[in-house]
Amino acid sequence: MYNDILFNIVDEIDHFTLRYRQKGIFECDKANRMIRKYSAYYPEAAALNLKVRTEDELREEPIAEMYDDLIRLRTVLLDKSGLK
């Protein structure tokens, strides 16, 4: 059951990043929420020390950095799931 939850999170991140790669659509606020949520819940994700951005920082549209953070987050959660 726990692995299913992690797999669903990895899948959510995959869909989000794929949408950006295919259509150029990236919602910085949604990415920020995912980083905040999963870093707070999973110690392995917290250990990445991913930056949660303020609203002012989000206006600067730090897409490349946030995209990279999501990929790092996805990788750690996939490793944790054991489904790799």
Side-chain angles (χ1 to χ4, degrees):
M1 175 83 164
Y2 184 70
N3 287 344
D4 291 344
I5 294 168
L6 285 171
F7 182 77
N8 286 335
I9 293 168
V10 168
D11 191 51
E12 174 189 17
I13 295 170
D14 281 345
H15 280 91
F16 185 86
T17 56
L18 181 64
R19 184 175 172 207
Y20 174 63
R21 288 191 312 269
Q22 289 181 340
K23 300 179 181 176
I25 299 169
F26 193 91
E27 299 172 59
C28 290
D29 58 332
K30 183 175 180 178
N32 204 45
R33 285 192 307 272
M34 284 193 280
I35 290 168
R36 180 184 308 118
K37 178 180 178 180
Y38 301 131
S39 292
Y41 194 77
Y42 297 102
E44 297 84 354
L48 293 172
N49 293 319
L50 301 176
K51 183 177 181 179
V52 176
R53 284 135 177 107
T54 65
E55 288 199 26
D56 288 338
E57 292 170 323
L58 287 176
R59 283 190 209 106
E60 297 170 11
E61 296 191 40
I63 293 173
E65 296 92 6
M66 293 187 82
Y67 176 87
D68 291 344
D69 287 350
L70 284 176
I71 297 301
R72 292 175 54 217
L73 177 62
R74 175 210 179 275
T75 302
V76 124
L77 295 177
L78 184 61
D79 289 346
K80 181 177 177 61
S81 76
L83 297 171
K84 190 174 182 184

